[in-house]
Amino acid sequence: NEDVAKRFEAYNWHVQVVEDGNDLTAIQNAVRNAQLETQKPSLIKVRTQIAYGSPNKVNTAGAHGSPLGPDEIKLVKEGFGFDPESFFEVSAEVADFYKKAGDKGKTTNQKWDELFAAYEQEFPDLAAEYTLARKKQLPEGWKDQLPVFEPSKDKMATRVASGKVLNAIADKLPGLIGGAADLAPSTETLLKKFTSFSSEDRGGRNLHFGIREHAMGSALVGMALTDGVIPYGATFLIFSEYMRPPIRLAAIMKIRPIFIYTHDSIGLGEDGTTHQPVEQLIALRAIPNITLIRPADANETAQAWKVALEHNDGPVVLVLTRQGLPVLDQQKYGKAEGLEKGAYILSEASAEAKLILIATGSEVALILEAQQDLEAAGIPVRVVSMPSWELFEKQDAAYRESVFPKNIRKRLAVETGSPLGWHKYVTDEGDILAMHTFGESAPAEDLYKEFGFTKENVINKAKALLD
């Protein structure tokens, strides 16, 4: 019994109600009024009868999930003055109407081409920018703006690194626009040089979605359908649950909004069980045509943005940490560019590897620490950073074999999420250090110790595999 029209009026929308869904003039007038309203979004509520014209099924649930059936269809046709024995017949009147509409469209298109040709002569730079957007191409030189982060004693959360990347590339990418579900400061998604989008400021590039994750996701899907617009929206990973329908819709439509999810693990600590994601990583990975990336440090985060912006065939999900992580030394370890292949050898064993340690995100630094001690104990260990299963599966067999050779079957995967799915990569001789329960409310360090995400436990599990 909700009054939908009143709800949207409370949102300050332009709302109209058409009482009779068969009154074409009223519908036409309502659409025209909506087009004339340029300061507010519009909602037109139209009252209709389900199965209108069906003498036996009108206003019944039977018309909702079942076909009318051949006998009832004949009755409907008779009621509307059609030949009940005729099927797939297009009247001459209808055919003529669509032919005229096609001719009108052809003329309109020709006028547009002439207008744009003149515009191109007078404003070549703006025309070139517009053409680039229509072709879904990015301007030259934008990748030169991607920051490179140097190792230091200070740690950096990947959400912070993401914010630095966004602000570094924003000038070069005018179509990059987005915001957060009331969490811009926490998700680091504010474009600092730009204003907020509003009915008074259409040039603003920061969107304030409010605490409406589902609505935010739906808005991003709509924006992604506009050539040249690269929309992003952010919230905590746990709240991706509220966005599941638009995420799935974007995957079905093969369009590319960028979903940013921070606070990605039990590292939330005192935020407690309700906010600590456990099953969300595998739930998102299970959606077909989605690309999920969980970078291990600041430089992998920069590369994750590069992949996301160059991707054009489905949504990209960036999963980022709240807690600070070490910035890995790219002179000592594998280059972060390896992220584009989904998984890469971050640190090779000192001799022929007896074991492969695999991790994503914040757990990569942990397995690097474990590798050092295992190597010191005379156990050669390869460390693989695996930020994206989907990108890795797109690589050829030779590359996949080079990262995970079939002859090295002792493997340990470490991720602060559900273990589901990891069995494919660790083999039947490997193991998984993951979450099998929900978290608890405590400081992050205590939780990592409680659930075994410590260097000592990784080492013990690795040795157990070899024993």
Side-chain angles (χ1 to χ4, degrees), residues 389 393 400 404 411 419-427 432:
W389 295 5
E393 291 301 327
R400 298 198 305 272
F404 296 126
R411 306 174 189 175
L420 292 176
W422 275 111
H423 301 83
K424 177 178 181 178
Y425 299 110
V426 300
T427 82
I432 305 161

Side-chain angles (χ1 to χ4, degrees), residues 389-409:
W389 295 5
E390 297 79 22
L391 292 176
F392 182 69
E393 291 301 327
K394 290 180 179 179
Q395 308 309 310
D396 60 37
Y399 179 78
R400 298 198 305 272
E401 171 67 15
S402 72
V403 176
F404 296 126
K406 292 183 178 64
N407 64 318
I408 307 178
R409 298 185 58 79

Side-chain angles (χ1 to χ4, degrees), residues 244 247-248 251-252 282-291 315 390:
R244 192 56 53 87
I247 295 170
R248 195 169 185 271
I252 291 170
I282 187 58
L284 289 166
R285 286 168 176 154
I287 300 174
N289 198 40
I290 203 169
T291 300
E390 297 79 22

